[in-house]
Amino acid sequence: MRADITSLFGLNVYTNQGTYVGKVNDLVFDVDERIVSGIALSDINRDIFDVQTRGVILPYRWVVTTGDIVIIRDVVSRFKKPVKEEPKED
């Protein structure tokens, strides 16, 4: 997949299931291999990521395609906050 790197900045990122993940803020490069190794996201979906930071970095290998948006593999289950069950009262 080839794209002008600057065209990715600011794009919204969604999973292939349609869940909003975040917005492309930066890219991580592996200089030795001459490849993009990660995609840095800001404005992340807090329902997915339970982190105190402003963003996250995802492996670029998760990117399926780019265009008007970036689509990544559905990885929500890897990060989604577990739902705490309320204790049952007897």
Side-chain angles (χ1 to χ4, degrees):
M1 163 183 353
R2 297 193 110 168
D4 182 18
I5 291 172
T6 59
S7 69
L8 298 176
F9 293 108
L11 293 182
N12 290 321
V13 179
Y14 291 86
T15 68
N16 55 358
Q17 300 296 314
T19 303
Y20 175 77
V21 179
K23 187 176 293 273
V24 178
N25 188 46
D26 208 349
L27 299 172
V28 179
F29 296 95
D30 182 331
V31 178
D32 295 331
E33 297 292 324
R34 295 180 167 180
I35 60 170
V36 176
S37 60
I39 185 168
L41 306 181
S42 61
D43 300 327
I44 56 175
N45 182 342
R46 296 290 175 180
D47 291 335
I48 299 172
F49 301 102
D50 187 18
V51 294
Q52 299 301 315
T53 59
R54 292 186 314 157
V56 295
I57 297 175
L58 301 178
Y60 195 77
R61 67 180 180 273
W62 290 357
V63 173
V64 174
T65 191
T66 64
D68 292 335
I69 62 172
V70 176
I71 298 176
I72 65 169
R73 292 187 186 110
D74 189 12
V75 295
V76 172
S77 60
R78 294 184 189 194
F79 296 104
K80 193 158 182 131
K81 296 179 197 176
V83 177
K84 293 182 181 178
E85 292 185 23
E86 295 295 323
K88 294 181 182 178
E89 294 181 21
D90 292 328

